[in-house]
Amino acid sequence: MTATSTSPEITIEFHKSPVSDADRIKALETPGFGKIFTDHMVLARWTADKGWHDAKVTPRRPLELDPASAVLHYAQEIFEGMKAYKADDGRILLFRPEENARRFAQSAARMAMPAVPEELFLKAVEELVRVDKNWIPSGDASLYLRPFMFANEAFLGVRPAQEYIFCIIASPVGAYFKGGAKAVSLWVETTYTRAAAGGTGAAKCGGNYAASLVAQAEAAKKECDQVVFLDAAEHRWVEELGGMNVFFVMNDGTIVTPPLGGTILPGITRASVIVLAKEKGLRVEERPYSFEEWQKDAASGKLVEAFACGTAAVLAGIGLVRHADGEFKVGDGQTGKLTTELRQQLVSLQKGVTNDERGWTRRVL
């Protein structure tokens, strides 16, 4: 990469025919997840000679790609997931957006892409939220933000591209899982793996999710909400779900979660949960946890709760686990007490209900 990484100014181009107030209000009544989008988006361009330039908030519209665009052939693409929340007093808040900016840069480095300067990333997110503030739902819903970047150079040679587009779209969302706070069911995948050592497991790139879809489809056939992946080397150690990290709560209060090591996405919700749990005086162990151990601990009663976590779902209790040889419950099959407490504590911080002593929230309006 030869260009500098300075942050350009962001211009605003307002939509001349935005969604009507009536239609927007109706859409916000039952937003679902990722099906409704706001009026605007962010676009910025990077080229090897100019660096980042032409940054703007602009009316949301289809992107035009050359058939030889590098992303279509070599999958140079990364993304983030974050939310804007409306507090009861009307404030608009982001939750740890600096961590999203840093992880975006880390993903870019792994995929041989230019880093989006943290200043540009944060300013672009905030400007989009300000422009589309009327799309932010009240109550338990939120505005999901999807920053992403992809290679846009038209060429068929195998090398890092020299042109990229950075974009942010926004979508008002409700609960990620249809059952809301109800415990979810998991299918344990033993054939397909999500990531291997030295691969892209720690990067938030589309290819990781594409590779998980066949296993997720199998989970759906087994009437499960999500798939959980084991390690690629031994098919023994629990790693993460298709799009979430996982925690196990023992009867002595100890919490176990698989360690980061290049094959697991370093979740921002995951990191936040670890801090909150430790502040409660609980011991958190980041260590390998085998599927065999999971079954034994569930059968003996040592394991009393398990939950998945991520930006989209926040925290979701795990009630039922299905696998090739049968199934078992975690605890009583319902969302556990600690899971509920941690979720409420996290949501209260995100929504500005409780005082943010850690500096995790960032006010936009």
Side-chain angles (χ1 to χ4, degrees), residues 63 82 99 105 107 115 123 135 187 207 242 254-255 271 296 305 333:
L63 298 174
M82 53 198 301
E99 295 302 316
S107 294
K123 188 174 181 181
W135 281 94
W187 169 253
T254 300
I255 300 176
K296 288 182 178 179
E305 299 181 38

Side-chain angles (χ1 to χ4, degrees), residues 155-173:
F155 82 106
L156 296 180
V158 183
R159 59 162 173 78
Q162 296 184 35
E163 296 180 15
Y164 297 86
I165 289 178
F166 171 53
C167 184
I168 309 175
I169 55 177
S171 173
V173 298

Side-chain angles (χ1 to χ4, degrees), residues 21-187:
D21 290 345
D23 287 344
R24 187 185 65 253
I25 292 170
K26 184 177 181 180
L28 291 179
E29 291 176 358
T30 53
F33 196 94
K35 296 181 179 180
I36 301 169
F37 298 93
T38 65
D39 294 305
H40 298 84
M41 64 182 182
V42 169
L43 281 178
R45 298 180 181 275
W46 187 95
T47 57
D49 57 339
K50 291 183 178 180
W52 288 108
H53 62 281
D54 196 21
K56 56 190 175 184
V57 176
T58 186
R60 185 179 180 276
R61 60 185 183 274
L63 298 174
E64 185 173 303
L65 298 181
D66 189 286
S69 186
V71 67
L72 301 177
H73 302 272
Y74 307 119
Q76 256 192 303
E77 182 272 350
I78 59 173
F79 68 96
E80 271 298 319
M82 53 198 301
K83 290 178 178 178
Y85 305 86
K86 181 180 290 184
D88 291 339
D89 59 7
R91 288 175 299 150
I92 304 301
L93 304 171
L94 299 172
F95 184 73
R96 307 190 75 178
E98 300 86 357
E99 295 302 316
N100 292 99
R102 291 165 191 156
R103 188 171 64 181
F104 199 67
Q106 292 165 1
S107 294
R110 177 61 184 86
M111 301 299 288
M113 303 168 78
V116 174
E118 185 172 322
E119 178 186 0
L120 174 58
F121 184 99
L122 295 174
K123 188 174 181 181
V125 167
E126 291 182 352
E127 291 289 5
L128 180 59
V129 169
R130 290 190 186 102
V131 170
D132 279 340
K133 62 182 181 296
N134 291 333
W135 281 94
I136 304 175
S138 300
D140 294 333
S142 57
L143 184 68
Y144 184 82
L145 299 158
R146 172 54 62 87
F148 62 100
M149 177 169 56
F150 61 92
N152 193 44
E153 182 183 1
F155 82 106
L156 296 180
V158 183
R159 59 162 173 78
Q162 296 184 35
E163 296 180 15
Y164 297 86
I165 289 178
F166 171 53
C167 184
I168 309 175
I169 55 177
S171 173
V173 298
Y176 184 74
F177 291 113
K178 292 181 180 180
K182 182 181 176 182
V184 299
S185 56
L186 304 183
W187 169 253

